[in-house]
Amino acid sequence: MFKHDVQLIKDLILRNLRSQGLETPLLQRRLLAAWPQVGGVIAQRYTTETFIQNQTMYVRLTSPALRADLSMRRSELVRRLNEQVGEQVIADIRFI
């Protein structure tokens, strides 16, 4: 009888991405793609740009009122975005 070292494909892919330095950019891309779902329809309508720099997500909004409203819910939005990705990708979110 043969003994096989069985590994999940998910684990092999993640190990390969880590070794090539691609895991973090992939997680950041997934987090940015989750913004419309987490921010909601209204936030999506007024969002013109999103990007991540130094574990901070920046969201450019065209509505000052929405910017103020979302700023008060920053910690909740950070938690929900990280939950969508399944890892701690960002530590803060800023609305500009």
Side-chain angles (χ1 to χ4, degrees):
M1 189 175 272
F2 296 101
K3 184 175 182 181
H4 296 282
D5 185 20
V6 179
Q7 296 179 0
L8 295 174
I9 288 200
K10 173 186 166 190
D11 295 336
L12 293 173
I13 291 173
L14 285 175
R15 188 177 324 134
N16 190 24
L17 287 173
R18 270 189 206 114
S19 69
Q20 294 180 15
L22 299 173
E23 181 183 30
T24 300
L26 177 65
L27 291 173
Q28 289 177 347
R29 173 77 73 183
R30 287 178 53 206
L31 188 127
L32 291 174
W35 170 246
Q37 181 181 357
V38 172
V41 176
I42 305 246
Q44 180 183 5
R45 184 179 307 149
Y46 291 101
T47 299
T48 59
E49 179 183 15
T50 57
F51 61 95
I52 297 174
Q53 186 174 34
N54 297 331
Q55 290 188 327
T56 301
M57 179 177 172
Y58 293 89
V59 180
R60 187 174 306 277
L61 298 168
T62 58
S63 169
L66 181 62
R67 187 179 310 127
D69 180 48
L70 292 176
S71 291
M72 289 186 282
R73 301 183 329 164
R74 279 179 21 201
S75 60
E76 174 196 349
L77 292 169
V78 168
R79 180 186 53 78
R80 289 179 57 201
L81 284 164
N82 284 325
E83 284 176 358
Q84 285 287 323
V85 178
E87 296 223 11
Q88 177 75 26
V89 178
I90 60 171
D92 194 15
I93 187 169
R94 301 246 173 112
F95 300 99
I96 53 177

